[in-house]
Amino acid sequence: MESLLSVRGLTKSFKGNQVLCGIGFDVIPGEVLCILGPNGAGKSTTINILTATLAADKGEIRFGGKPITDNLRAYKQQLGIVPQDIALYEELSAERNLRFFASLYGLRGSRLDAAVEEALAFAELVDRRHDQVKTFSGGMKRRLNIACAIAHHPTLVIMDEPTVGIDPQRRNHILESILRLRDGGTTVIYTTHYMEEVGAISSRIIVLDHGAIIAEGTKESLKESIASERHCLVEVDVPETTSDDTTVLRSVRESLFSVDGVKSVSIEGATIDVTSVAGIENVDGIVSAIVGQGLPIKNMTSVPVSLEMVFLKLTGRKLRD
């Protein structure tokens, strides 16, 4: 399928520090592309360049096959931008905010009226249309912020961590609204610090680290990339005086590495995470290694491969580090 957005060789440096190292990717019409990366990976810089609020040092962005620099105004007319920080006028009502932002894209008269009504319904704020935004909850503001970005029916919506600071229930409402946008044919680029959001809405995932793309694919294909491993979580009964640095836990780690198939061992509190080569049956050996060091086992669980594991494997860090 022909790309809606094509990015090639994006490079950006700040004060001699290279933030983007020639990244390139395509965005397919109608997909939700999630961009993941730890802090400092280059996500915000990428988003700022895609929204044309920041110029790249090198590289090219094509929209619909044409360089966006050929007609930047037309490109921006096709964008909906949902920033991480809520961008609304607190003293104005929900309806007046929508009218203002939609009018910036040239909507007037009956087209503007229809767009406002549709956006209010999309955000489920019809009954609060005349209320000042300052009276809204955080979740309502987030929904209105998204509604302001999509009222003009953009082809591409770019969302930079739009669910920051809201509770899980309201976050689910926003995720459902993103899926409605996708189902309506809108293409979405989405960054987040919540791995469960990626699992819920992504069509495809790009993982950024140190300004470079280190992995790309669907959530299923990324999980398959580490399917050669098996994770086992073991909860042990550790005396209160025992810490990660004590002799007994160091001995447990050393003992586990002697078990056939064990690749890595991490210990956090009373939980031991053992990574083994898939297909090697070594549960008995793991149990013996731990019990043999005098630590009773309280619980033992085999953990299926998750996106969090993939991210940790690729970057060495958790997403929220």
Side-chain angles (χ1 to χ4, degrees), residues 157-213:
V157 177
I158 299 177
M159 300 184 172
D160 189 11
E161 300 187 32
T163 62
V164 170
I166 63 173
D167 63 70
Q169 182 177 358
R170 289 175 174 84
R171 181 182 299 132
N172 288 338
H173 184 281
I174 290 175
L175 297 181
E176 289 170 2
S177 71
I178 293 168
L179 293 177
R180 294 206 307 274
L181 284 174
R182 180 205 63 188
D183 293 343
T186 303
T187 305
V188 179
I189 297 176
Y190 191 93
T191 73
T192 180
H193 269 151
Y194 299 103
M195 197 64 77
E196 60 270 22
E197 294 186 357
V198 179
I201 67 173
S202 67
S203 306
R204 200 158 49 89
I205 301 164
I206 286 175
V207 182
L208 271 177
D209 198 19
H210 301 297
I213 294 175

Side-chain angles (χ1 to χ4, degrees), residues 6-12 18 20-25 49 56-61 211 213:
S6 180
V7 177
R8 295 291 181 270
L10 283 193
T11 301
K12 186 66 181 179
Q18 193 167 30
L20 293 180
C21 309
I23 67 170
F25 58 90
I49 293 174
D57 296 336
K58 294 180 182 179
E60 182 182 61
I61 300 172
I213 294 175

Side-chain angles (χ1 to χ4, degrees), residues 29-154:
E31 76 171 343
V32 179
L33 177 64
C34 289
I35 301 178
L36 298 178
N39 290 334
K43 300 189 304 298
S44 295
T45 300
T46 302
I47 292 298
N48 288 336
I49 293 174
L50 294 180
T51 57
T53 57
L54 180 69
D57 296 336
K58 294 180 182 179
E60 182 182 61
I61 300 172
R62 288 178 172 265
F63 183 79
K66 299 178 181 179
I68 64 171
T69 50
D70 287 356
N71 194 339
L72 196 56
R73 180 179 176 83
Y75 172 63
K76 289 183 175 180
Q77 288 287 324
Q78 295 297 314
L79 286 184
I81 302 170
V82 182
Q84 184 178 144
D85 297 323
I86 291 175
L88 298 169
Y89 290 99
E90 296 272 331
E91 301 298 323
L92 298 182
S93 67
E95 180 176 343
R96 291 189 64 187
N97 267 280
L98 281 165
R99 286 188 174 280
F100 171 75
F101 285 106
S103 69
L104 295 179
Y105 292 91
L107 297 185
R108 300 287 186 273
S110 60
R111 289 182 61 215
L112 177 59
D113 292 340
V116 169
E117 293 301 322
E118 186 176 350
L120 283 169
F122 180 86
E124 298 185 4
L125 290 172
V126 173
D127 59 337
R128 299 294 299 273
R129 64 190 303 152
H130 300 303
D131 295 345
Q132 290 180 310
V133 170
K134 67 181 181 182
T135 67
F136 286 3
S137 67
M140 292 168 66
K141 289 178 182 179
R142 289 285 179 189
R143 281 152 45 197
L144 180 59
N145 212 35
I146 294 173
C148 288
I150 58 96
H152 62 294
H153 288 191

Side-chain angles (χ1 to χ4, degrees), residues 298-311:
K298 296 171 64 176
N299 189 37
M300 189 170 183
T301 308
S302 181
V303 183
V305 174
S306 67
L307 284 174
E308 190 79 44
M309 290 178 184
V310 174
F311 191 85

